[in-house]
Amino acid sequence: MTDASSGLVLRKATVRLGGRLVLDALSFHLTESRIGILGRNGSGKTTLLRLLAGLIAPDDGTVRVDGVDPFKNRKATLSALGILFQNPDHQILFPTVEEELAFGLAQQGIPQPEALKRAHDLLSVEGRRAWAKAPVSTLSQGQRHYLCLLSVLLMQPRTILLDEPLAGLDLPTQARLARRFAALPQRLITITHDPAVLADADRVLWLDSGAIAADGPPAQVIPAFTAEMARIGELDADADLAG
């Protein structure tokens, strides 16, 4: 039996937003190193990400991250789980790079001088020492995305949630980030609508209308998802609007 005190565990987790059922009694236990959550727009992916991160609580059921309720115990969750949002501007809070990097460490109880030292040390290791005093506003989209990743890595979480991590980036930046993700020791849970991103995953969950449509290795789940997306694409979905 798998140890429920490790990994991410949902038991009949249900979320309703505005009276609408968004996640329908989801149950799974995620322990693999590279996990994908795949679904089209509107499938409930973003809500699931927020649920796993402890940003919202389930209306029914339970969520546990390494045995901890992420919504009720945010501080304990900081060392268990990090999140990289699709849009870095939804994540960045501070005007300079060093302040942004130090913030997460301060949340973990690290004194500010030590937090800043660790931030500078990481920038040196990354070959980006010149970034320390730079205004975040001077960084490109890809650089801001990378800054958010460094902020998460400084906190040393055991699992990182990646929300459409390569969307909207140019190809060289995508390649650099993909290499960096592949080398990370943390468990990565990638939430995406793009099956190509998940070809090397250990496990893929296909989320459809708030329920798990398939769960297994990518070689099994991705072709089924792709075939269904092709079928939907062949339908004239806007025919009811023709007049």
Side-chain angles (χ1 to χ4, degrees):
M1 179 178 289
T2 307
D3 182 5
S5 67
S6 66
L8 286 76
V9 182
L10 266 62
R11 292 196 176 99
K12 298 187 180 300
T14 298
V15 175
R16 299 177 185 86
L17 297 175
R20 182 173 63 91
L21 184 64
V22 179
L23 298 178
D24 186 7
L26 294 184
S27 294
F28 53 69
H29 189 173
L30 305 179
T31 59
E32 294 80 4
S33 177
R34 297 292 185 263
I35 300 162
I37 296 177
L38 180 64
R40 61 187 299 211
N41 291 341
S43 63
K45 299 191 308 298
T46 298
T47 301
L48 178 56
L49 178 143
R50 292 172 59 81
L51 185 67
L52 292 172
L55 300 176
I56 59 173
D59 292 293
D60 300 296
T62 60
V63 180
R64 295 293 183 270
V65 176
D66 291 346
V68 173
D69 183 327
F71 184 77
K72 293 181 178 178
N73 196 338
R74 294 291 301 139
K75 187 169 184 179
T77 306
L78 290 175
S79 62
L81 191 71
I83 181 169
L84 191 66
F85 287 101
Q86 177 180 352
N87 186 341
D89 297 329
H90 293 167
Q91 191 160 352
I92 292 171
L93 299 173
F94 290 88
T96 68
V97 168
E98 64 177 5
E99 291 174 294
E100 183 64 30
L101 290 174
F103 174 65
L105 294 175
Q107 284 190 303
Q108 291 180 311
I110 306 298
Q112 184 73 359
E114 175 62 20
L116 286 170
K117 178 182 181 301
R118 293 187 190 184
H120 287 206
D121 289 347
L122 178 60
L123 289 173
S124 294
V125 169
E126 295 286 328
R128 289 169 171 81
R129 183 180 299 179
W131 282 19
K133 302 289 185 181
V136 172
S137 60
T138 64
L139 302 182
S140 69
Q141 173 84 1
Q143 288 171 332
R144 294 198 303 277
H145 209 66
Y146 200 80
L147 170 62
C148 290
L149 175 61
L150 294 182
S151 297
V152 171
L153 295 180
L154 266 177
M155 299 171 72
Q156 300 182 321
R158 294 180 289 278
T159 298
I160 302 175
L161 296 174
L162 304 176
D163 179 20
E164 298 284 3
L166 304 181
L169 301 175
D170 61 30
L171 292 178
T173 303
Q174 286 185 17
R176 286 194 294 269
L177 275 174
R179 286 196 304 271
R180 186 60 191 271
F181 291 148
L184 292 176
Q186 284 92 349
R187 175 188 296 117
L188 301 183
I189 300 176
T190 302
I191 296 179
T192 183
H193 70 278
D194 183 359
V197 174
L198 304 178
D200 295 326
D202 301 309
R203 177 181 175 186
V204 176
L205 289 77
W206 169 11
L207 188 66
D208 183 51
S209 299
I212 301 298
D215 179 357
Q220 170 187 318
V221 176
I222 288 176
F225 172 81
T226 303
E228 177 62 9
M229 295 306 102
R231 185 192 71 79
I232 293 171
E234 290 173 356
L235 301 176
D236 190 357
D238 295 328
D240 59 321
L241 301 180

